[in-house]
Amino acid sequence: MTQVSDRLQNLSESQTIAMAKRSREMQVQGIDVISLSLGEPDFNTPDFIKESAKKAIDDNYSKYTPVPGFLELREAICSKLERDNKLQYNPNQIVVSTGAKQSIANVVLSLVNPGDEVIIPKPYWVSYLEIVKMAEGVPVFIETSIENDFKITAEQLKEVITDKSKLMIYSSPCNPSGSIYSKEELESLSEVIKTKSDLYVISDEIYEHINFTGKHESLAQFPSIYNQVITINGLSKGFAMTGWRLGYIAAPEWIADACDKIQGQFTSATCSITQRAAIDAMLCDPKEMEYMKDAFLERRDFVLNGLSQIEGFKLNKPEGAFYVFPDISGLFGKKYNDDLINTATDLSMFLLNEAHVAVVTGEAFGSPNCIRLSYATSKDLLELAIKRISTAVSKLK
Ligand code: PMP
Ligand code: GLU
Protein backbone atom coordinates (compact mmCIF):
# COMPACT_ATOMS: atom_id res chain seq x y z
CA MET A 1 0.00 0.00 0.00
CA THR A 2 1.32 3.44 -0.83
CA GLN A 3 1.27 5.86 2.05
CA VAL A 4 2.46 9.45 1.93
CA SER A 5 4.25 10.90 4.94
CA ASP A 6 2.38 12.20 7.98
CA ARG A 7 3.77 15.60 7.12
CA LEU A 8 2.01 15.51 3.77
CA GLN A 9 -1.22 14.11 5.15
CA ASN A 10 -1.47 17.11 7.47
CA LEU A 11 -0.93 19.52 4.60
CA SER A 12 -3.92 21.10 2.85
CA GLU A 13 -3.95 21.76 -0.86
CA SER A 14 -3.64 25.46 -1.75
CA GLN A 15 -7.28 26.58 -2.09
CA THR A 16 -6.42 29.40 -4.47
CA ILE A 17 -4.68 27.00 -6.81
CA ALA A 18 -7.37 24.32 -6.34
CA MET A 19 -10.16 26.73 -7.32
CA ALA A 20 -8.21 27.91 -10.36
CA LYS A 21 -7.71 24.27 -11.36
CA ARG A 22 -11.42 23.51 -10.97
CA SER A 23 -12.42 26.47 -13.13
CA ARG A 24 -9.89 25.49 -15.82
CA GLU A 25 -11.38 21.98 -15.86
CA MET A 26 -14.89 23.40 -16.31
CA GLN A 27 -13.61 25.66 -19.10
CA VAL A 28 -12.16 22.59 -20.87
CA GLN A 29 -15.63 21.01 -20.67
CA GLY A 30 -16.93 24.04 -22.55
CA ILE A 31 -18.46 25.79 -19.53
CA ASP A 32 -17.92 29.52 -19.68
CA VAL A 33 -16.47 30.07 -16.19
CA ILE A 34 -15.17 33.48 -15.20
CA SER A 35 -12.29 32.90 -12.83
CA LEU A 36 -11.82 35.47 -10.11
CA SER A 37 -9.97 32.91 -8.03
CA LEU A 38 -6.24 33.12 -8.65
CA GLY A 39 -4.47 36.32 -7.72
CA GLU A 40 -2.30 37.25 -10.64
CA PRO A 41 -2.09 40.37 -12.80
CA ASP A 42 -3.69 39.97 -16.22
CA PHE A 43 -1.03 42.27 -17.75
CA ASN A 44 1.86 41.06 -19.85
CA THR A 45 5.38 41.40 -18.48
CA PRO A 46 6.76 44.82 -19.58
CA ASP A 47 8.74 44.70 -22.83
CA PHE A 48 12.03 45.96 -21.41
CA ILE A 49 12.10 43.04 -18.98
CA LYS A 50 11.35 40.56 -21.76
CA GLU A 51 14.20 42.07 -23.81
CA SER A 52 16.61 41.61 -20.87
CA ALA A 53 15.64 37.96 -20.64
CA LYS A 54 16.15 37.42 -24.37
CA LYS A 55 19.55 39.04 -24.13
CA ALA A 56 20.45 36.85 -21.14
CA ILE A 57 19.70 33.76 -23.22
CA ASP A 58 21.86 35.05 -26.09
CA ASP A 59 24.63 35.96 -23.62
CA ASN A 60 24.59 32.34 -22.43
CA TYR A 61 23.45 32.84 -18.86
CA SER A 62 22.72 29.15 -18.81
CA LYS A 63 24.67 27.90 -15.83
CA TYR A 64 23.96 27.48 -12.14
CA THR A 65 24.07 30.83 -10.38
CA PRO A 66 25.25 31.56 -6.83
CA VAL A 67 22.63 30.09 -4.45
CA PRO A 68 21.38 33.46 -3.10
CA GLY A 69 21.37 34.99 -6.60
CA PHE A 70 23.86 36.89 -8.79
CA LEU A 71 25.75 39.53 -6.80
CA GLU A 72 24.70 42.15 -9.37
CA LEU A 73 21.04 41.31 -8.74
CA ARG A 74 21.44 41.43 -4.96
CA GLU A 75 23.13 44.82 -5.35
CA ALA A 76 20.21 45.99 -7.51
CA ILE A 77 17.78 44.80 -4.82
CA CYS A 78 19.73 46.76 -2.18
CA SER A 79 19.49 49.88 -4.39
CA LYS A 80 15.76 49.35 -4.78
CA LEU A 81 15.29 48.96 -1.02
CA GLU A 82 17.23 52.18 -0.44
CA ARG A 83 15.45 54.07 -3.23
CA ASP A 84 11.85 53.01 -2.51
CA ASN A 85 11.86 52.07 1.15
CA LYS A 86 14.81 53.96 2.67
CA LEU A 87 16.11 50.65 3.96
CA GLN A 88 19.82 49.89 4.17
CA TYR A 89 20.89 46.37 3.32
CA ASN A 90 24.05 44.85 1.92
CA PRO A 91 24.04 41.99 -0.61
CA ASN A 92 24.90 39.44 2.10
CA GLN A 93 21.50 40.15 3.63
CA ILE A 94 19.59 39.31 0.46
CA VAL A 95 18.54 35.84 -0.73
CA VAL A 96 16.75 35.49 -4.06
CA SER A 97 14.44 32.48 -4.41
CA THR A 98 11.98 30.77 -6.72
CA GLY A 99 9.10 33.10 -5.87
CA ALA A 100 8.15 34.85 -2.64
CA LYS A 101 6.48 31.60 -1.65
CA GLN A 102 9.84 29.87 -1.45
CA SER A 103 11.32 32.88 0.35
CA ILE A 104 8.67 32.50 3.05
CA ALA A 105 9.21 28.74 3.29
CA ASN A 106 12.98 29.23 3.62
CA VAL A 107 12.54 31.68 6.48
CA VAL A 108 9.96 29.59 8.35
CA LEU A 109 12.08 26.45 8.03
CA SER A 110 15.15 28.42 9.12
CA LEU A 111 13.60 29.80 12.29
CA VAL A 112 10.79 27.59 13.56
CA ASN A 113 11.42 24.56 15.77
CA PRO A 114 8.61 22.06 16.48
CA GLY A 115 6.40 23.60 19.14
CA ASP A 116 7.44 27.20 18.52
CA GLU A 117 4.49 29.57 18.31
CA VAL A 118 3.92 31.51 15.11
CA ILE A 119 1.57 34.49 15.31
CA ILE A 120 -0.67 34.80 12.27
CA PRO A 121 -3.28 37.57 12.07
CA LYS A 122 -6.50 36.58 10.30
CA PRO A 123 -7.23 36.76 7.47
CA TYR A 124 -3.90 35.35 6.33
CA TRP A 125 -2.62 34.32 2.94
CA VAL A 126 -3.36 30.60 2.39
CA SER A 127 0.20 29.32 2.34
CA TYR A 128 1.38 30.88 5.63
CA LEU A 129 -0.49 28.36 7.75
CA GLU A 130 0.49 25.35 5.67
CA ILE A 131 4.17 26.27 5.63
CA VAL A 132 4.10 26.77 9.41
CA LYS A 133 2.42 23.37 9.82
CA MET A 134 5.13 21.81 7.68
CA ALA A 135 7.74 23.23 10.08
CA GLU A 136 5.68 21.82 13.00
CA GLY A 137 5.17 25.31 14.39
CA VAL A 138 2.07 26.07 16.43
CA PRO A 139 -0.09 28.74 14.80
CA VAL A 140 -1.49 31.38 17.13
CA PHE A 141 -4.16 33.44 15.42
CA ILE A 142 -5.29 36.99 16.02
CA GLU A 143 -8.89 37.66 15.05
CA THR A 144 -9.93 40.74 13.11
CA SER A 145 -13.17 41.74 11.44
CA ILE A 146 -14.44 43.87 8.62
CA GLU A 147 -15.41 46.57 11.15
CA ASN A 148 -11.72 47.26 11.94
CA ASP A 149 -10.64 46.84 8.30
CA PHE A 150 -9.23 43.38 9.11
CA LYS A 151 -6.26 44.90 10.95
CA ILE A 152 -4.80 43.95 14.33
CA THR A 153 -3.91 46.40 17.07
CA ALA A 154 -0.75 46.58 19.21
CA GLU A 155 -2.91 45.60 22.18
CA GLN A 156 -4.03 42.38 20.46
CA LEU A 157 -0.44 41.53 19.56
CA LYS A 158 0.72 42.08 23.13
CA GLU A 159 -1.93 39.67 24.40
CA VAL A 160 -0.78 36.70 22.31
CA ILE A 161 2.98 36.97 22.84
CA THR A 162 4.36 34.22 25.10
CA ASP A 163 7.81 32.82 25.86
CA LYS A 164 7.29 30.43 22.96
CA SER A 165 6.51 33.08 20.32
CA LYS A 166 9.14 32.83 17.62
CA LEU A 167 7.71 34.36 14.51
CA MET A 168 4.86 36.48 13.21
CA ILE A 169 3.73 36.56 9.56
CA TYR A 170 1.52 39.16 7.93
CA SER A 171 1.15 40.94 4.60
CA SER A 172 0.57 44.63 3.89
CA PRO A 173 -1.01 45.34 1.44
CA CYS A 174 -2.90 42.28 2.61
CA ASN A 175 -3.91 39.27 0.60
CA PRO A 176 -6.87 38.67 0.93
CA SER A 177 -8.36 41.81 2.53
CA GLY A 178 -6.49 44.54 0.62
CA SER A 179 -5.89 46.34 3.93
CA ILE A 180 -2.78 48.42 4.46
CA TYR A 181 -1.11 49.26 7.76
CA SER A 182 -0.22 52.95 8.05
CA LYS A 183 3.15 54.10 9.35
CA GLU A 184 1.59 54.94 12.72
CA GLU A 185 -0.05 51.51 12.99
CA LEU A 186 3.22 49.76 12.13
CA GLU A 187 5.06 51.92 14.63
CA SER A 188 2.71 50.92 17.42
CA LEU A 189 3.16 47.23 16.48
CA SER A 190 6.94 47.78 16.48
CA GLU A 191 6.75 49.02 20.09
CA VAL A 192 5.33 45.62 21.07
CA ILE A 193 7.66 43.60 18.82
CA LYS A 194 10.75 45.20 20.34
CA THR A 195 9.78 43.99 23.81
CA LYS A 196 10.73 40.45 22.77
CA SER A 197 14.05 40.61 20.96
CA ASP A 198 13.93 36.95 19.88
CA LEU A 199 10.58 37.36 18.13
CA TYR A 200 10.98 37.68 14.36
CA VAL A 201 8.48 39.08 11.90
CA ILE A 202 7.99 38.24 8.24
CA SER A 203 6.69 41.41 6.61
CA ASP A 204 5.31 40.22 3.28
CA GLU A 205 5.38 43.25 0.98
CA ILE A 206 4.82 41.47 -2.34
CA TYR A 207 1.92 43.87 -3.15
CA GLU A 208 4.05 46.96 -2.46
CA HIS A 209 3.43 48.47 -5.87
CA ILE A 210 -0.33 47.91 -5.79
CA ASN A 211 -1.03 50.48 -3.12
CA PHE A 212 -3.73 53.13 -3.60
CA THR A 213 -2.75 55.21 -0.55
CA GLY A 214 0.23 56.69 -2.39
CA LYS A 215 3.03 55.42 -0.16
CA HIS A 216 4.23 52.01 0.89
CA GLU A 217 5.45 51.55 4.47
CA SER A 218 7.95 48.84 5.43
CA LEU A 219 8.10 47.39 8.93
CA ALA A 220 11.92 47.27 8.85
CA GLN A 221 12.03 51.10 8.80
CA PHE A 222 11.85 51.21 12.61
CA PRO A 223 15.46 50.98 13.85
CA SER A 224 14.49 49.34 17.15
CA ILE A 225 13.26 46.20 15.32
CA TYR A 226 15.38 46.24 12.15
CA ASN A 227 17.20 43.11 13.39
CA GLN A 228 13.91 41.27 13.94
CA VAL A 229 12.29 41.88 10.55
CA ILE A 230 12.50 39.81 7.39
CA THR A 231 11.12 41.74 4.44
CA ILE A 232 9.65 39.63 1.63
CA ASN A 233 9.18 40.99 -1.86
CA GLY A 234 9.47 39.87 -5.46
CA LEU A 235 8.49 40.31 -9.07
CA SER A 236 5.20 38.42 -9.28
CA LYS A 237 2.66 41.13 -8.55
CA GLY A 238 4.19 44.55 -9.21
CA PHE A 239 5.87 43.53 -12.47
CA ALA A 240 3.28 41.01 -13.74
CA MET A 241 5.80 38.16 -13.63
CA THR A 242 4.06 35.38 -11.71
CA GLY A 243 5.39 32.64 -13.97
CA TRP A 244 8.99 33.85 -13.94
CA ARG A 245 9.37 32.80 -10.29
CA LEU A 246 11.45 35.29 -8.38
CA GLY A 247 11.07 36.44 -4.80
CA TYR A 248 13.60 37.67 -2.27
CA ILE A 249 14.22 38.36 1.38
CA ALA A 250 16.06 41.21 3.05
CA ALA A 251 17.00 40.07 6.54
CA PRO A 252 19.62 39.96 9.28
CA GLU A 253 22.68 38.26 7.82
CA TRP A 254 22.41 35.12 9.96
CA ILE A 255 18.87 34.53 8.68
CA ALA A 256 19.99 35.12 5.09
CA ASP A 257 22.82 32.58 5.66
CA ALA A 258 20.32 30.03 6.98
CA CYS A 259 18.04 30.51 3.96
CA ASP A 260 21.04 30.19 1.65
CA LYS A 261 21.88 26.86 3.33
CA ILE A 262 18.34 25.46 2.93
CA GLN A 263 18.03 26.67 -0.64
CA GLY A 264 21.40 25.12 -1.49
CA GLN A 265 19.84 21.74 -0.76
CA PHE A 266 16.36 22.33 -2.19
CA THR A 267 16.55 24.31 -5.44
CA SER A 268 20.12 25.71 -5.73
CA ALA A 269 18.79 29.05 -6.96
CA THR A 270 16.08 30.49 -9.14
CA CYS A 271 16.36 30.61 -12.92
CA SER A 272 19.45 32.41 -14.29
CA ILE A 273 17.48 34.12 -17.08
CA THR A 274 14.85 35.42 -14.66
CA GLN A 275 17.60 36.76 -12.42
CA ARG A 276 19.25 38.72 -15.24
CA ALA A 277 15.90 40.22 -16.25
CA ALA A 278 15.17 41.04 -12.61
CA ILE A 279 18.22 43.33 -12.47
CA ASP A 280 16.53 45.68 -14.94
CA ALA A 281 13.20 45.36 -13.14
CA MET A 282 14.81 46.36 -9.83
CA LEU A 283 16.67 49.30 -11.34
CA CYS A 284 13.75 50.76 -13.31
CA ASP A 285 11.82 53.76 -12.05
CA PRO A 286 8.73 52.34 -10.25
CA LYS A 287 6.66 55.02 -12.01
CA GLU A 288 7.01 52.91 -15.17
CA MET A 289 4.80 50.27 -13.56
CA GLU A 290 2.11 52.65 -12.32
CA TYR A 291 -0.20 52.05 -15.27
CA MET A 292 -1.04 48.66 -13.74
CA LYS A 293 -1.84 50.15 -10.34
CA ASP A 294 -4.01 52.80 -12.00
CA ALA A 295 -5.97 50.12 -13.84
CA PHE A 296 -6.41 48.10 -10.64
CA LEU A 297 -7.70 51.16 -8.81
CA GLU A 298 -10.31 51.81 -11.48
CA ARG A 299 -11.40 48.18 -11.32
CA ARG A 300 -11.50 48.21 -7.53
CA ASP A 301 -13.97 51.08 -7.56
CA PHE A 302 -16.02 49.40 -10.24
CA VAL A 303 -16.17 46.10 -8.34
CA LEU A 304 -16.88 47.75 -4.99
CA ASN A 305 -19.72 49.68 -6.49
CA GLY A 306 -21.21 46.60 -8.19
CA LEU A 307 -20.86 44.16 -5.30
CA SER A 308 -22.06 46.54 -2.61
CA GLN A 309 -25.45 46.61 -4.35
CA ILE A 310 -25.88 42.86 -3.90
CA GLU A 311 -27.92 41.93 -0.87
CA GLY A 312 -25.87 40.14 1.79
CA PHE A 313 -22.49 41.50 0.60
CA LYS A 314 -20.75 43.69 3.18
CA LEU A 315 -17.49 45.26 1.99
CA ASN A 316 -14.47 47.11 3.38
CA LYS A 317 -12.55 49.44 1.09
CA PRO A 318 -9.34 47.69 0.13
CA GLU A 319 -6.46 50.16 -0.21
CA GLY A 320 -4.15 47.81 -2.05
CA ALA A 321 -3.53 44.43 -3.75
CA PHE A 322 -6.26 43.32 -6.19
CA TYR A 323 -8.83 41.53 -4.07
CA VAL A 324 -12.14 42.30 -2.46
CA PHE A 325 -13.08 40.28 0.59
CA PRO A 326 -16.81 40.71 1.26
CA ASP A 327 -18.39 39.39 4.42
CA ILE A 328 -21.26 37.30 3.06
CA SER A 329 -22.47 35.81 6.36
CA GLY A 330 -25.76 37.67 5.78
CA LEU A 331 -26.60 34.96 3.25
CA PHE A 332 -26.12 32.05 5.65
CA GLY A 333 -29.30 30.02 6.12
CA LYS A 334 -30.68 30.91 2.66
CA LYS A 335 -31.34 28.32 -0.03
CA TYR A 336 -32.12 27.77 -3.70
CA ASN A 337 -33.49 24.38 -4.75
CA ASP A 338 -31.17 21.86 -3.03
CA ASP A 339 -28.42 24.40 -2.36
CA LEU A 340 -28.36 25.46 1.27
CA ILE A 341 -25.83 28.17 2.08
CA ASN A 342 -24.40 27.66 5.55
CA THR A 343 -20.75 28.51 4.95
CA ALA A 344 -18.52 30.62 2.72
CA THR A 345 -17.49 27.39 1.00
CA ASP A 346 -21.17 26.62 0.24
CA LEU A 347 -21.52 30.05 -1.33
CA SER A 348 -18.32 29.65 -3.38
CA MET A 349 -19.57 26.33 -4.76
CA PHE A 350 -23.01 27.83 -5.43
CA LEU A 351 -21.45 30.72 -7.35
CA LEU A 352 -19.26 28.33 -9.33
CA ASN A 353 -22.11 26.01 -10.29
CA GLU A 354 -24.95 28.52 -10.63
CA ALA A 355 -23.21 31.72 -11.78
CA HIS A 356 -20.13 30.11 -13.33
CA VAL A 357 -17.95 32.51 -11.40
CA ALA A 358 -15.00 31.08 -9.46
CA VAL A 359 -14.08 32.80 -6.18
CA VAL A 360 -12.15 31.51 -3.15
CA THR A 361 -13.79 30.68 0.16
CA GLY A 362 -12.69 32.80 3.12
CA GLU A 363 -12.16 29.59 5.08
CA ALA A 364 -8.89 29.19 3.17
CA PHE A 365 -7.75 32.48 4.72
CA GLY A 366 -9.10 31.81 8.22
CA SER A 367 -12.19 34.00 7.71
CA PRO A 368 -15.25 31.76 7.35
CA ASN A 369 -17.65 34.69 6.88
CA CYS A 370 -15.98 35.97 3.73
CA ILE A 371 -15.18 35.12 0.14
CA ARG A 372 -12.29 36.48 -1.92
CA LEU A 373 -12.66 37.80 -5.45
CA SER A 374 -9.65 38.85 -7.49
CA TYR A 375 -10.31 41.84 -9.74
CA ALA A 376 -7.11 41.36 -11.74
CA THR A 377 -9.08 40.78 -14.90
CA SER A 378 -10.72 42.88 -17.61
CA LYS A 379 -13.55 45.29 -16.80
CA ASP A 380 -15.84 43.53 -19.27
CA LEU A 381 -15.39 40.23 -17.49
CA LEU A 382 -15.79 41.89 -14.11
CA GLU A 383 -19.04 43.47 -15.22
CA LEU A 384 -20.35 40.15 -16.45
CA ALA A 385 -19.21 38.37 -13.28
CA ILE A 386 -20.99 40.90 -11.06
CA LYS A 387 -24.20 40.50 -13.08
CA ARG A 388 -24.02 36.74 -12.81
CA ILE A 389 -23.30 36.83 -9.06
CA SER A 390 -26.15 39.25 -8.53
CA THR A 391 -28.60 37.07 -10.46
CA ALA A 392 -27.55 33.90 -8.64
CA VAL A 393 -27.68 35.51 -5.18
CA SER A 394 -31.13 36.94 -5.89
CA LYS A 395 -32.39 33.37 -6.22
CA LEU A 396 -31.41 32.56 -2.63
CA LYS A 397 -34.41 32.79 -0.33
N1 PMP B 1 2.68 36.38 -0.50
C1 PMP B 1 1.43 36.74 -0.84
C2 PMP B 1 0.66 37.58 0.12
C3 PMP B 1 0.89 36.32 -2.06
O1 PMP B 1 -0.35 36.67 -2.39
C4 PMP B 1 1.64 35.50 -2.91
C5 PMP B 1 1.01 34.96 -4.17
N2 PMP B 1 1.64 35.30 -5.26
C6 PMP B 1 2.94 35.18 -2.53
C7 PMP B 1 3.42 35.62 -1.31
C8 PMP B 1 3.82 34.31 -3.37
O2 PMP B 1 4.31 35.00 -4.45
P1 PMP B 1 5.20 34.30 -5.57
O3 PMP B 1 4.33 34.12 -6.75
O4 PMP B 1 6.31 35.29 -5.83
O5 PMP B 1 5.71 33.02 -5.02
N1 GLU C 1 -0.93 34.47 -4.42
C1 GLU C 1 -1.92 34.18 -5.39
C2 GLU C 1 -3.26 34.01 -4.72
O1 GLU C 1 -3.38 34.20 -3.55
C3 GLU C 1 -1.51 33.03 -6.26
C4 GLU C 1 -1.88 31.65 -5.80
C5 GLU C 1 -0.92 31.05 -4.87
O2 GLU C 1 0.29 31.24 -5.04
O3 GLU C 1 -1.39 30.37 -3.96
O4 GLU C 1 -4.20 33.73 -5.41
Side-chain angles (χ1 to χ4, degrees):
M1 198 177 84
T2 53
Q3 184 78 54
V4 298
S5 67
D6 295 346
R7 187 181 306 108
L8 204 75
Q9 281 189 356
N10 291 333
L11 191 73
S12 307
E13 185 183 5
S14 164
Q15 288 301 309
T16 47
I17 292 177
M19 205 58 175
K21 192 167 130 197
R22 194 168 296 155
S23 43
R24 262 185 234 123
E25 282 163 6
M26 287 173 75
Q27 283 160 350
V28 168
Q29 289 164 23
I31 304 169
D32 159 34
V33 175
I34 302 175
S35 182
L36 307 184
S37 55
L38 201 60
E40 63 177 341
D42 55 323
F43 293 97
N44 290 325
T45 300
D47 284 341
F48 74 94
I49 299 178
K50 293 199 275 197
E51 288 310 318
S52 301
K54 289 177 201 166
K55 183 166 183 309
I57 293 173
D58 289 339
D59 289 347
N60 295 308
Y61 279 102
S62 47
K63 303 236 169 18
Y64 289 129
T65 78
V67 172
F70 287 120
L71 177 61
E72 208 178 333
L73 171 57
R74 285 179 288 131
E75 283 170 348
I77 291 171
C78 292
S79 309
K80 174 260 174 275
L81 290 165
E82 167 82 54
R83 181 195 65 206
D84 299 346
N85 315 105
K86 303 280 172 289
L87 297 176
Q88 263 94 48
Y89 285 95
N90 69 60
N92 293 338
Q93 296 178 276
I94 310 294
V95 177
V96 176
S97 301
T98 310
K101 200 180 261 187
Q102 192 197 1
S103 301
I104 296 164
N106 283 345
V107 175
V108 173
L109 291 171
S110 293
L111 293 182
V112 175
N113 279 317
D116 283 348
E117 291 178 0
V118 181
I119 300 167
I120 311 181
K122 289 181 178 182
Y124 47 80
W125 179 50
V126 277
S127 296
Y128 296 162
L129 176 58
E130 299 308 318
I131 293 171
V132 167
K133 275 163 53 185
M134 223 183 303
E136 296 177 61
V138 178
V140 173
F141 299 109
I142 305 181
E143 297 289 337
T144 64
S145 69
I146 196 163
E147 282 72 30
N148 50 23
D149 196 25
F150 298 107
K151 288 193 273 193
I152 62 163
T153 61
E155 217 30 64
Q156 283 179 296
L157 179 58
K158 206 186 228 156
E159 273 167 26
V160 298
I161 292 181
T162 72
D163 287 352
K164 290 194 173 152
S165 309
K166 184 67 187 273
L167 186 66
M168 166 173 159
I169 315 183
Y170 79 103
S171 60
S172 178
C174 174
N175 177 2
S177 69
S179 308
I180 291 185
Y181 285 91
S182 68
K183 185 171 179 183
E184 292 68 35
E185 287 163 339
L186 290 179
E187 189 164 21
S188 66
L189 294 177
S190 79
E191 292 297 316
V192 179
I193 294 162
K194 78 174 187 200
T195 61
K196 185 165 169 37
S197 60
D198 58 351
L199 170 68
Y200 298 92
V201 183
I202 292 182
S203 174
D204 182 347
E205 303 180 15
I206 188 88
Y207 293 95
E208 166 180 18
H209 294 298
I210 307 163
N211 178 329
F212 313 132
T213 68
K215 191 170 182 304
H216 175 73
E217 300 291 348
S218 293
L219 185 66
Q221 70 182 286
F222 304 104
S224 60
I225 57 163
Y226 174 83
N227 286 323
Q228 292 171 258
V229 179
I230 302 104
T231 304
I232 303 278
N233 212 324
L235 297 181
S236 292
K237 312 295 172 171
F239 296 87
M241 295 175 70
T242 46
W244 294 61
R245 310 308 300 132
L246 190 144
Y248 61 85
I249 62 164
E253 204 167 320
W254 65 274
I255 297 179
D257 287 347
C259 292
D260 182 336
K261 191 169 168 187
I262 290 188
Q263 183 157 296
Q265 297 292 7
F266 273 19
T267 57
S268 294
T270 195
C271 166
S272 54
I273 309 301
T274 298
Q275 287 191 45
R276 296 311 302 180
I279 296 172
D280 286 331
M282 289 297 114
L283 295 179
C284 87
D285 183 341
K287 283 200 166 52
E288 289 196 38
M289 299 296 127
E290 279 188 2
Y291 66 95
M292 293 192 243
K293 183 193 70 183
D294 295 344
F296 288 132
L297 176 58
E298 209 184 311
R299 296 175 197 174
R300 179 206 64 180
D301 290 340
F302 180 75
V303 167
L304 272 186
N305 181 44
L307 290 180
S308 58
Q309 299 184 29
I310 300 177
E311 204 197 320
F313 276 58
K314 197 158 100 186
L315 290 130
N316 68 321
K317 190 174 182 184
E319 296 288 4
F322 35 61
Y323 308 103
V324 283
F325 199 54
D327 181 321
I328 43 72
S329 57
L331 298 173
F332 292 171
K334 295 191 183 249
K335 64 184 292 195
Y336 172 63
N337 293 337
D338 289 337
D339 288 316
L340 177 61
I341 310 298
N342 274 333
T343 64
T345 304
D346 291 343
L347 185 71
S348 311
M349 294 319 294
F350 174 72
L351 293 178
L352 183 63
N353 296 327
E354 188 62 33
H356 294 165
V357 176
V359 303
V360 184
T361 173
E363 282 165 43
F365 309 94
S367 292
N369 287 343
C370 300
I371 57 172
R372 190 193 78 173
L373 300 88
S374 161
Y375 55 82
T377 193
S378 74
K379 232 167 140 186
D380 288 348
L381 276 180
L382 290 171
E383 186 170 10
L384 186 58
I386 293 167
K387 269 196 198 132
R388 288 191 191 176
I389 294 172
S390 175
T391 307
V393 169
S394 70
K395 294 177 185 166
L396 292 170
K397 300 286 173 227

